[in-house]
Amino acid sequence: MFPPFLLVFALFFLCFSPISAQQLIIQLESAKKVEGQIYYALYNSAQSFQKEPLAFRKAALPLKKLPLSISLAPLPPGQYALAFFQDLNGNGRLDLNFFGIPTEPYGFSNDPKILAGPPSFKAASFSLGPKENKSIRIRLKNE
């Protein structure tokens, strides 16, 4: 059995010792309209990329003021890609026109060129190393 003072010391040490965790900060600095919701999905593999039910993390946040900063922590080290869109009409999805082109602002990490369809995981991915904090700026397209 541990002496009581050792138990108290161990608990004190655990409570105040620094925790090393990876953090991702997403920053939206501009938008044509400051309204609606920002939906984001963080993916951790090429197999899950652009498959919203398989997103590693996802959420929707109201866009009431800029800049908007979103902090995701803790995250395990790895490769990630971020997809997001601004829902202006409140229907909970990215609206597309007849040709499949988004009619609401959208974007991806790394701001890859969009030619015909969404980018690959490789084009949008970034690495997050052990004990690394990373900041990503969101640039909306179609705004």
Side-chain angles (χ1 to χ4, degrees):
M1 179 128 194
F2 288 114
F5 74 90
L6 282 179
L7 184 59
V8 170
F9 178 74
L11 288 174
F12 179 80
F13 179 75
L14 288 173
C15 288
F16 292 101
S17 64
I19 297 173
S20 64
Q22 293 67 235
Q23 180 179 24
L24 176 64
I25 302 197
I26 306 164
Q27 296 178 334
L28 174 63
E29 297 174 350
S30 66
K32 191 173 185 179
K33 297 178 182 178
V34 181
E35 63 184 57
Q37 300 235 4
I38 294 292
Y39 283 78
Y40 71 85
L42 182 68
Y43 299 94
N44 61 355
S45 72
Q47 293 77 24
S48 66
F49 188 57
Q50 292 297 299
K51 297 177 180 120
E52 189 261 337
L54 301 177
F56 183 70
R57 292 213 182 143
K58 59 185 173 180
L61 302 167
L63 182 57
K64 295 182 180 179
K65 67 177 188 164
L66 291 172
L68 174 65
S69 183
I70 305 164
S71 176
L72 301 177
L75 292 174
Q79 286 290 117
Y80 295 96
L82 181 67
F84 50 89
F85 72 93
Q86 184 180 9
D87 183 15
L88 294 172
N89 61 7
N91 67 356
R93 66 176 198 263
L94 177 62
D95 293 326
L96 307 172
N97 67 14
F98 178 75
F99 300 106
I101 298 170
T103 59
E104 293 178 303
Y106 66 96
F108 299 93
S109 47
N110 293 342
D111 196 25
K113 293 210 182 263
I114 308 294
L115 299 174
S120 66
F121 179 78
K122 183 178 179 181
S125 71
F126 57 90
S127 64
L128 190 62
K131 300 181 185 177
E132 181 181 9
N133 294 327
K134 188 168 281 221
S135 179
I136 293 185
R137 292 178 187 220
I138 296 173
R139 183 171 171 260
L140 294 175
K141 296 180 185 306
N142 191 21
E143 59 172 347

